[in-house]
Amino acid sequence: MHFQAVETAFRKFAVHGDTKAMGKEMNGKNFVKLCKDCKVIDGKNITSTDVDIVFSKVKVKSARVITFEQFIQAMTELATKRFKGKGQEEALQLLYGLIAGKEPSNVGVTKVAKAAAVDRLTDSSKYTGSHKERFDESGKGKGKVGREDIPDTSGYVSAYKGQGSYEDKLKDSE
């Protein structure tokens, strides 16, 4: 019997997405996830509703988690439903076969999505409008030159049009 492998799978799913979890108890969300990832939920004989009902049935009234023992109880209930026409023991073995050695499927998926999002945002070839003008063809930023509104630090009042004409005015008045 792959009891050890089933327990390992239980622990992996139990800690999934919960940094404080010790792997001894599993919440309802992760129980459903285990059932989905391990194809216990097949959409015909067993749906996520069935799994929720069984979870509520095996857990302690006030608790929000189940232990491995309660998990085995839940699996025993689901086994004959999942494998109709099979004896309880055989059905249970088949169900354990689905779970043994499995782990949550989307481990590490978020990392990929994150990188893709950042890459998309920092890809200057996709920039439009005024942002596009700040980069050359190779995608290298042009720095200060790429900006049109470089502040005039000559000491004149901003938007003053007659810059450099003061000396001329002096000459005229002489």
Side-chain angles (χ1 to χ4, degrees):
M1 179 170 175
H2 1 257
F3 207 69
Q4 205 61 50
V6 171
E7 191 165 359
T8 308
F10 172 83
R11 288 185 191 290
K12 281 183 180 164
F13 278 93
V15 297
H16 178 70
D18 185 353
T19 47
K20 294 185 291 295
M22 305 300 288
K24 302 219 182 332
E25 298 164 331
M26 182 182 285
N27 62 23
K29 192 170 134 226
N30 286 4
F31 180 66
V32 172
K33 178 160 182 52
L34 180 144
C35 291
K36 273 194 186 126
D37 287 3
C38 298
K39 311 273 188 290
V40 174
I41 296 176
D42 59 358
K44 292 193 295 285
N45 303 328
I46 295 183
T47 63
S48 50
T49 312
D50 297 321
V51 172
D52 281 336
I53 292 166
V54 170
F55 182 82
S56 303
K57 216 192 275 185
V58 297
K59 74 176 178 65
V60 180
K61 277 267 182 292
S62 59
R64 291 179 41 225
V65 291
I66 56 170
T67 61
F68 184 63
E69 286 69 39
Q70 291 165 323
F71 171 76
I72 293 300
Q73 244 177 291
M75 288 301 121
T76 310
E77 259 190 63
L78 289 169
T80 46
K81 254 186 113 145
R82 175 69 168 79
F83 299 101
K84 286 207 174 8
K86 299 256 192 280
Q88 174 129 34
E89 201 44 50
E90 191 189 348
L92 201 53
Q93 290 303 323
L94 287 166
L95 198 61
Y96 287 159
L98 292 174
I99 297 164
K102 289 280 196 313
E103 52 185 61
S105 64
N106 64 354
V107 171
V109 169
T110 48
K111 290 189 191 81
V112 178
K114 225 188 252 164
V118 173
D119 287 345
R120 198 172 61 243
L121 294 171
T122 55
D123 181 357
S124 59
S125 70
K126 294 192 171 55
Y127 289 173
T128 58
S130 61
H131 302 291
K132 184 167 60 185
E133 293 159 21
R134 291 177 40 212
F135 297 88
D136 58 22
E137 286 69 56
S138 69
K140 187 164 171 13
K142 292 180 187 170
K144 235 177 170 169
V145 184
R147 299 195 192 125
E148 258 173 44
D149 56 346
I150 297 168
D152 179 2
T153 55
S154 66
Y156 273 94
V157 177
S158 64
Y160 177 64
K161 297 284 182 283
Q163 183 175 351
S165 61
Y166 182 68
E167 277 73 30
D168 299 342
K169 283 198 177 92
L170 280 178
K171 283 189 192 113
D172 292 347
S173 66
E174 285 172 359

